C-alpha cells in the first residue's frame, strides 16, 4: 500500500542510567550505554512500514546542519524518498532518552522552531495514496483538511492524553478515522474515556495502548471495546517507540485487508519485539517473521 507519513524527524540519543531518580555525580563512564540514532515519530513509523513492505512517502521539516545530513543519509539507505523533506528550520530537532534496566524511560525533546514553521502541502502529494498518517504536530494541521477534502483516510496518534477536549490535539482527533493514544495519563475508567472520544470525534477505530496490560480497541461498527492482553516477550530493554511500533504495524495489517482484531494482535507481536532492542527505530520484525509467530501463538 502507498502511505503518506508527515511528522517529526530528529536525532535521538539514548543514555542508560543506573536508576531513577538519577543521583548526582560529576561523571559516569557508561561504556556502550550512550548511543545516537535517527528518530522522531515520523521516522519510526516510516521505517517500520518500509520494513513491513509498504511504499512510504515522507514529509517533514529539518534544519540545514550536520544532523540533517545524517537523517537524509539514513532515509536514502532505507530507499525512502527525501524530496518532501524541507530544510526550513534553524536547527534539526533532537531528543535525549534516559532509560534504566527495568525499561522505564525519561525523554527530553527539543523541537527547535518546528512548531512555529509552516509546511506548504500540495494536493499532488496525495496522489495514489491509500492512507495519510498525520502526526500531531502543528505543521500538519493544513494536511488534515486537504486529506479529508481528497477523501483519504487519516490516522493519527495523540500519544499521552488526559483531557477529552485537549486544545492541542482536538483538531487531530476530529479528523482521524483511526485514532491511537496511550492510557498513561488517563484518570478514572479508560473505557468511559474511549466511549467519550468516540461520541465527540466520531472515529471509526480507536486503539488505546496500555503498556504491560496490553491494548484496548473500539470500533464504530460494533460500538464496543475489545481488550487484548500484552504479548509476552523477552527482557524489556527500552520502551521508547513501543507506541509508534504498535501504531505502524496495526496500520500495515489493517489497510492490507486484515480483520481489525487480527491486525491489532499482530501489531502487538511487532511492538513486543521492538522493546527488546535499544532505540525507538530499531528491532523491527519483517511481516514474514510476525506471521510465523502469529501462526504459533
Amino acid at each position: 500500500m502507498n502511505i503518506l507519513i508527515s511528522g517529526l524527524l530528529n536525532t535521538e540519543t539514548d543514555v542508560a542510567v543506573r536508576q531513577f531518580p538519577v543521583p548526582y555525580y560529576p561523571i559516569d563512564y557508561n561504556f556502550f550505554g550512550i548511543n545516537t540514532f535517527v528518530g522522531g515519530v515520523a521516522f519510526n513509523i516510516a521505517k517500520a512500514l518500509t520494513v513491513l513492505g509498504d511504499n512510504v512517502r515522507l514529509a517533514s521539516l529539518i534544519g540545514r546542519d550536520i544532523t540533517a545530513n545524517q537523517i537524509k543519509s539514513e532515509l536514502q539507505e532505507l530507499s525512502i524518498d527525501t524530496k518532501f523533506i524541507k530544510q526550513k528550520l534553524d536547527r534539526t530537532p533532537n531528543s535525549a532518552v534516559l532509560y534504566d534496566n527495568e525499561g522505564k524511560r525519561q525523554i527530553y525533546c527539543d523541537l527547535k522552531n518546528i512548531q512555529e514553521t509552516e509546511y506548504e502541502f500540495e494536493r499532488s502529494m496525495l496522489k495514489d495514496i491509500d492512507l495519510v498518517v498525520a502526526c500531531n504536530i502543528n505543521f500538519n494541521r493544513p494536511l488534515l483538511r486537504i486529506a479529508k477534502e481528497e477523501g483519504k483516510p487519516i490516522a493519527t496518534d495523540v500519544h499521552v492524553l488526559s483531557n477529552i477536549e485537549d486544545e492541542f490535539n482536538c483538531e487531530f482527533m476530529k479528523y482521524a478515522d483511526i485514532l491511537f493514544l496511550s492510557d498513561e495519563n488517563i484518570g478514572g475508567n479508560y473505557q468511559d474515556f474511549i466511549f467519550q472520544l468516540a461520541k465527540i470525534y466520531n472515529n471509526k477505530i480507536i486503539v488505546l495502548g496500555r503498556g504491560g496490560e496490553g491494548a484496548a480497541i473500539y470500533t464504530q461498527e460494533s460500538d464496543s471495546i475489545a481488550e487484548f492482553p500484552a504479548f509476552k516477550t523477552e527482557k524489556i530493554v527500552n520502551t521508547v517507540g513501543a507506541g509508534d511500533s504498535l501504531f505502524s504495524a496495526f496500520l500495515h495489517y489493517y489497510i492490507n485487508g486484515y480483520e481489525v482484531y487480527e491486525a491489532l494482535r499482530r501489531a502487538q507481536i511487532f511492538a513486543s519485539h521492538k522493546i527488546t532492542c535499544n532505540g525507538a527505530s530499531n528491532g523491527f520484525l519483517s511481516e514474514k517473521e510476525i506471521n510465523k509467530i502469529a501462526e504459533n501463538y
Side-chain angles (χ1 to χ4, degrees), residues 178-194:
I178 302 171
L179 175 64
F180 267 61
L181 68 154
S182 164
D183 73 343
E184 197 165 353
N185 270 5
I186 294 177
N189 187 306
Y190 70 83
Q191 292 191 349
D192 288 344
F193 195 91
I194 293 173

Side-chain angles (χ1 to χ4, degrees), residues 6 15 33 102 111 115 136 153 165 171 173 192 201 233 258:
S6 183
V15 182
E102 295 180 359
L111 295 175
Q115 293 289 53
N136 62 334
E165 298 178 348
E171 187 174 20
M173 294 188 285
D192 288 344
Y201 299 108
T233 188
Y258 279 72

Side-chain angles (χ1 to χ4, degrees), residues 28-49:
D28 186 4
Y29 289 94
N30 195 349
F31 297 103
F32 294 98
I34 303 173
N35 298 284
T36 299
F37 310 95
V38 174
V41 176
F43 180 80
N44 300 340
I45 297 169
K47 181 176 178 180
L49 289 171

Side-chain angles (χ1 to χ4, degrees), residues 221-286:
E221 183 178 8
S222 67
D223 193 30
S224 64
I225 296 171
E227 300 185 29
F228 288 74
F231 182 83
K232 299 303 179 184
T233 188
E234 306 166 30
K235 179 178 173 61
I236 296 172
V237 173
N238 189 341
T239 59
V240 172
D244 295 342
S245 298
L246 187 73
F247 183 47
S248 304
F250 176 83
L251 295 179
H252 166 76
Y253 280 104
Y254 180 68
I255 67 170
N256 278 284
Y258 279 72
E259 183 270 333
V260 63
Y261 297 146
E262 185 61 23
L264 181 56
R265 190 172 76 94
R266 292 177 187 243
Q268 287 183 294
I269 295 171
F270 186 78
S272 71
H273 185 271
K274 182 263 156 296
I275 62 176
T276 66
C277 301
N278 193 21
S281 59
N282 295 324
F284 297 147
L285 294 172
S286 67

Side-chain angles (χ1 to χ4, degrees), residues 103-139:
K104 292 183 293 188
R105 78 278 192 270
Q106 187 170 9
I107 304 171
Y108 298 85
C109 189
D110 182 355
L111 295 175
K112 308 303 184 190
N113 63 322
I114 198 169
Q115 293 289 53
E116 297 80 46
T117 307
E118 295 182 354
Y119 189 109
E120 295 78 27
F121 290 97
E122 300 175 6
R123 292 180 186 270
S124 60
M125 293 171 61
L126 277 69
K127 183 180 179 181
D128 301 325
I129 288 296
D130 299 299
L131 175 70
V132 173
V133 180
C135 303
N136 62 334
I137 197 161
N138 275 338
F139 71 77

Side-chain angles (χ1 to χ4, degrees), residues 82-93:
T82 62
K83 70 179 178 181
F84 296 116
I85 297 172
K86 303 183 179 182
Q87 294 182 265
K88 296 179 61 177
L89 304 181
D90 295 338
R91 298 289 298 275
T92 301

